[in-house]
Amino acid sequence: MSTLNILLQFILPHHLLSRIALWLTRIRWRPFKNLLTALFMRGFKPDLSDAQIPDPYAYESFNAFFTRALVSGARPLAGDARTIVSPVDGTMSLCGPINANHLLQAKGHTYTLEALLAGAAPRWTPAFRDGSFATIYLAPYNYHRIHMPAPGRLAGAWYVPGRLFSVNTTASRLVSGLFARNERLVLLFEGETGPFAVIFVGALNVGSMDTVWHGNVTPRRPRTVTELPLPPESERFRERGTEIGRFNMGSTVILLFAPGAAELAEIAGGTTMRLGQRLGELRGVSAV
């Protein structure tokens, strides 16, 4: 995506375009949804060999195709109970330490925990200071469901409004504070070795974002920072690898870990990631 394209996004009506995308991708009229699917297949050539329904034209809408489920066993989980796994298919953008309260967005660009966590910041920023993070970009051709990187109990959930800039490498270089500017969902968990967060970051043409606890969270009105209700206690815990949400169109997932809770692997930016692939290890957890 060119620099000009990114610069034009500063004046585009992001949410209007995304609402149009939301409507178009849910049309069930077969000629139209098949046309969208054909254009997508031609442009992005997604691998459907591990989809539960490998025929792209068999889905009731383009969105159903885009958020397709995988066959059982398509993404085995690496390692054992100590192993942190990638929660998505995608491309590693950055992975490393949180320096005090600053996360690296791109070379020469950082943003803060306070800006990223927004309404959740007063309680949760201290938990992640000097911790570690990973940012994984989901391209349009990727599988778009999000899973648990480690076992944990949901302890907080927030909707944070914002813009919907593209979140690719070019945008990361050009848009200051990109991930803290875009609309997002912040899910906070209590894990075996301390808290961790899974953050869904929206992007241009991301029609909506869902969680398994709240259903469709975006688009939302009013667009104000909102603490989402927690489910009953019996429904909050999820094992690693369990599905917890989805993007209806592509975007980015950011993981945060408390200091001393995790040792993330050294994974270079640009590395292709698969759901279940090893991201690192939880410290002090038994392998059993």
Side-chain angles (χ1 to χ4, degrees):
M1 185 173 291
S2 69
T3 298
L4 177 60
N5 194 325
I6 297 297
L7 294 176
L8 285 173
Q9 291 184 31
F10 281 91
I11 60 174
L12 287 176
H14 293 180
H15 287 277
L16 174 61
L17 292 174
S18 293
R19 282 181 177 272
I20 292 171
L22 175 71
W23 175 67
L24 291 175
T25 57
R26 283 164 173 73
I27 290 176
R28 298 185 181 188
W29 186 47
R30 184 173 294 275
F32 182 79
K33 68 94 176 174
N34 282 353
L35 174 62
L36 281 185
T37 302
L39 292 172
F40 183 88
M41 292 294 294
R42 186 180 308 163
F44 295 104
K45 299 177 174 59
D47 178 9
L48 303 181
S49 62
D50 51 11
Q52 281 187 5
I53 304 174
D55 178 1
Y57 302 103
Y59 294 86
E60 65 181 10
S61 68
F62 178 82
N63 187 69
F65 156 67
F66 192 85
T67 59
R68 59 195 174 273
L70 301 178
V71 295
S72 178
R75 298 290 187 276
L77 303 182
D80 51 39
R82 299 170 297 187
T83 308
I84 302 166
V85 298
S86 175
V88 292
D89 283 6
T91 301
M92 180 63 72
S93 296
L94 287 165
C95 181
I98 300 171
N99 295 314
N101 64 333
H102 284 79
L103 296 85
L104 188 62
Q105 174 177 299
K107 186 177 181 180
H109 295 279
T110 64
Y111 60 103
T112 67
L113 284 169
E114 289 85 352
L116 179 66
L117 297 175
R123 175 183 172 187
W124 292 93
T125 293
F128 297 117
R129 286 180 65 90
D130 295 309
S132 53
F133 80 99
T135 304
I136 305 173
Y137 167 69
L138 286 75
Y141 54 79
N142 286 130
Y143 168 67
H144 273 78
R145 300 190 184 194
I146 302 121
H147 298 245
M148 289 288 281
R153 170 187 165 274
L154 184 68
W158 290 78
Y159 162 73
V160 182
R163 299 296 303 276
L164 290 169
F165 289 101
S166 295
V167 290
N168 59 17
T169 302
T170 303
S172 295
R173 288 191 291 103
L174 295 177
V175 182
S176 176
L178 173 64
F179 302 126
R181 294 176 74 164
N182 273 15
E183 184 174 62
R184 54 202 180 277
L185 302 181
V186 179
L187 301 183
L188 300 137
F189 297 90
E190 294 290 354
E192 292 184 60
T193 60
F196 64 91
V198 182
I199 301 170
F200 305 8
V201 182
L204 190 65
N205 292 331
V206 175
S208 64
M209 293 181 281
D210 300 2
T211 81
V212 297
W213 297 283
H214 307 98
N216 186 255
V217 179
T218 66
R220 189 179 188 89
R221 287 195 180 277
R223 289 201 293 269
T224 58
V225 176
T226 304
E227 185 171 12
L228 304 175
L230 291 175
E233 182 65 41
S234 62
E235 299 175 14
R236 297 180 192 179
F237 181 79
R238 290 291 188 275
E239 293 285 359
R240 73 179 186 132
T242 306
E243 182 184 337
I244 57 171
R246 65 184 67 176
F247 287 118
N248 299 297
M249 299 299 281
S251 199
T252 286
V253 167
I254 299 173
L255 304 179
L256 306 177
F257 293 94
E263 183 175 351
L264 297 184
E266 294 183 6
I267 302 175
T271 300
T272 298
M273 304 298 297
R274 298 260 287 182
L275 168 64
Q277 182 177 335
R278 179 180 176 273
L279 270 184
E281 305 290 332
L282 294 172
R283 290 176 171 168
V285 175
S286 170
V288 179

